[in-house]
Amino acid sequence: MKYLKYILTAVAMLFLLTFLTFKLYFQYNIPEYSGTESLTDLKDTVEVFTDSYGVPHIFAKNNEDLFYTAGYIIARERLFQLSLLAAVVRGEISKLLGDDYVVHDNYIKQNKLYFENSENLSEINYANELLIKAYCSGINAWINETEGTLPVSFKILNTKPLKWTTSDVINVAAMMTSNLQQNKQVGWFINTVKQYFGESKLLEMLTVDTYNRIKTEKNFSTDAFNGMNLDVENQIWKLLGATGSLLGSDVIIIPKEQTATKKPILFFDDIWGLQQPAKWFDIHLNGGDFNVEGAVIPGFPIPLAGKTNKTAWAFTGQITIKMINALFDIADGNFRLEQNNIYDLSLIYTDTSGFYSDQ
């Protein structure tokens, strides 16, 4: 009986020690939404107000501090999502999720699913590149600050967050938005039929003239599909969360002549639907040359569906360098219709003057 008592006491102490160790190791402190924090990289004071819907409103005195804080805030709220997105576009998923994803990494690199690299970043306006770098610095500052208290997901996987670069911002935006255009979905449809049911079944569904035209056009070249592994690629797009319907995104604009406020109203119907984690993040950036609010995708600082005091827009295609520059111009009020053909951009746009693009 005496030994049983000792044994039970030892088991209880071991259980308690295990519980405390587990609790301390996997504990993650919820970010503070009040108080003051000192960030050495900021040039001036920045104020952040988080409203009752969880939307951060950032008020800064210059552009660099504004975008630095935007990166810091998105990392605070979506750190694991950011790391996963960066891992996918780099072809480094296995570093985050384990060796089972080496085949996915090789597929991404072999098929160059990423969009841009350091060689063609020169097309970005210098001022915009500086703001993207400030955004990345904000993300990385949060990573450095929380190195010892990472979210549970990193501890379970025994891994670390990925530091962000300008290329990551561009590639994440490009890969995420590639699903917003119909061309990619048409190609997927053709490849799915061809891969699982054969070319004869594909020809049954298409006329010969249509099939021959598809084979000769760059966007629909079936030769590019021959090296595709539909299952692997579909898993990659699911990791990104860039999955949607075969239909493209829809935007409806009600002209100001037909509204009670005499201001145009824009409705944006995205094709991603409800997902967890969400593919949108609402934010308000006010400072320097910017006063813009709307829905960003984590990893890209300018809203793809947003508004300023004078304009509203919704982006419906794949991000390119030209589109990145245009979005920055729209957000800071430097967009000029005479310099930019709105119809060359995958963008639905309206402003308080009454102009709207009727794509």
Side-chain angles (χ1 to χ4, degrees):
M1 191 69 178
K2 181 178 179 180
Y3 292 111
L4 179 60
K5 181 180 178 180
Y6 289 148
I7 292 173
L8 291 177
T9 301
V11 170
M13 292 181 65
L14 181 62
F15 176 81
L16 180 60
L17 181 62
T18 303
F19 173 78
L20 291 175
T21 302
F22 185 87
K23 181 177 176 59
L24 289 172
Y25 181 74
F26 288 104
Q27 179 181 357
Y28 177 66
N29 297 326
I30 296 175
E32 294 287 340
Y33 292 92
S34 62
T36 302
E37 186 167 352
S38 178
L39 299 178
T40 57
D41 291 330
L42 291 179
K43 299 177 180 179
D44 211 325
T45 302
V46 177
E47 295 184 1
V48 181
F49 169 71
T50 304
D51 65 25
S52 58
Y53 294 98
V55 177
H57 302 258
I58 302 173
F59 300 90
K61 298 177 182 178
N62 59 74
N63 293 340
E64 290 76 13
D65 283 355
L66 184 68
F67 281 83
Y68 179 94
T69 307
Y72 186 86
I73 293 296
I74 190 67
R76 183 186 72 172
E77 303 294 330
R78 303 283 188 89
L79 184 56
F80 187 78
Q81 184 181 27
L82 287 176
S83 293
L84 180 58
L85 294 176
V88 172
V89 299
R90 294 180 190 181
E92 297 180 1
I93 309 172
S94 58
K95 290 185 178 180
L96 192 68
L97 301 182
D99 292 341
D100 289 344
Y101 286 89
V102 170
V103 63
H104 300 75
D105 290 340
N106 292 337
Y107 185 85
I108 291 169
K109 294 171 182 175
Q110 290 168 3
N111 291 277
K112 296 183 178 180
L113 296 186
Y114 46 81
F115 179 68
E116 299 288 350
N117 54 49
S118 57
E119 295 178 359
N120 46 22
L121 293 181
S122 60
E123 298 178 37
I124 300 179
N125 292 347
Y126 179 69
N128 298 338
E129 184 179 359
L130 289 180
L131 297 184
I132 292 175
K133 287 182 177 179
Y135 181 74
C136 293
S137 295
I139 294 175
N140 296 335
W142 175 260
I143 293 174
N144 292 335
E145 184 178 321
T146 59
E147 186 175 3
T149 57
L150 291 172
V152 174
S153 47
F154 291 101
K155 294 177 180 178
I156 292 174
L157 294 168
N158 192 28
T159 188
K160 298 286 186 181
L162 298 180
K163 297 290 185 69
W164 271 61
T165 67
T166 302
S167 294
D168 293 327
V169 172
I170 296 170
N171 286 328
V172 164
M175 287 188 71
M176 289 286 288
T177 57
S178 67
N179 190 247
L180 296 177
Q181 60 184 11
Q182 287 181 300
N183 287 1
K184 177 176 176 293
Q185 298 299 339
V186 172
W188 267 81
F189 169 75
I190 293 172
N191 184 50
T192 301
V193 175
K194 181 178 179 182
Q195 182 165 327
Y196 290 114
F197 301 103
E199 193 166 295
S200 59
K201 177 58 68 175
L202 182 61
L203 285 172
E204 289 179 18
M205 303 177 67
L206 303 173
T207 66
V208 175
D209 289 341
T210 300
Y211 181 67
N212 288 335
R213 179 171 60 83
I214 287 172
K215 289 191 69 173
T216 58
E217 290 186 10
K218 181 179 179 181
N219 287 341
F220 299 102
S221 174
T222 54
D223 292 336
F225 298 144
N226 292 332
M228 290 176 62
N229 183 322
L230 198 63
D231 292 329
V232 170
E233 186 159 335
N234 192 39
Q235 291 167 15
I236 292 169
W237 293 112
K238 283 184 176 180
L239 286 174
L240 279 173
T243 55
S245 67
L246 289 175
L247 301 175
S249 297
D250 288 324
V251 181
I252 298 173
I253 292 179
I254 302 178
K256 67 176 185 177
E257 294 80 11
Q258 299 178 24
T259 68
T261 62
K262 299 306 177 184
K263 295 180 180 179
I265 298 175
L266 183 148
F267 294 90
F268 175 56
D269 171 30
D270 94 82
I271 62 173
W272 286 332
L274 297 176
Q275 300 182 39
Q276 287 296 333
K279 297 302 169 286
W280 295 109
F281 184 80
D282 287 342
I283 196 168
H284 177 201
L285 304 176
N286 190 331
D289 300 318
F290 295 85
N291 185 8
V292 56
E293 56 185 310
V296 302
I297 54 174
F300 187 74
I302 300 295
L304 299 187
K307 71 182 183 71
T308 66
N309 292 333
K310 295 183 179 180
T311 62
W313 65 91
F315 184 70
T316 60
Q318 185 177 25
I319 282 283
T320 63
I321 296 294
K322 181 179 180 181
M323 271 307 313
I324 289 175
N325 290 326
L327 284 170
F328 272 92
D329 288 343
I330 292 173
D332 67 9
N334 287 322
F335 187 80
R336 298 290 181 269
L337 291 176
E338 60 269 20
Q339 298 174 357
N340 297 274
N341 186 348
I342 198 74
Y343 302 104
D344 290 339
L345 306 173
S346 300
L347 190 76
I348 306 299
Y349 173 96
T350 184
D351 59 37
T352 52
S353 72
F355 172 84
Y356 64 92
S357 60
D358 55 355
Q359 296 185 65

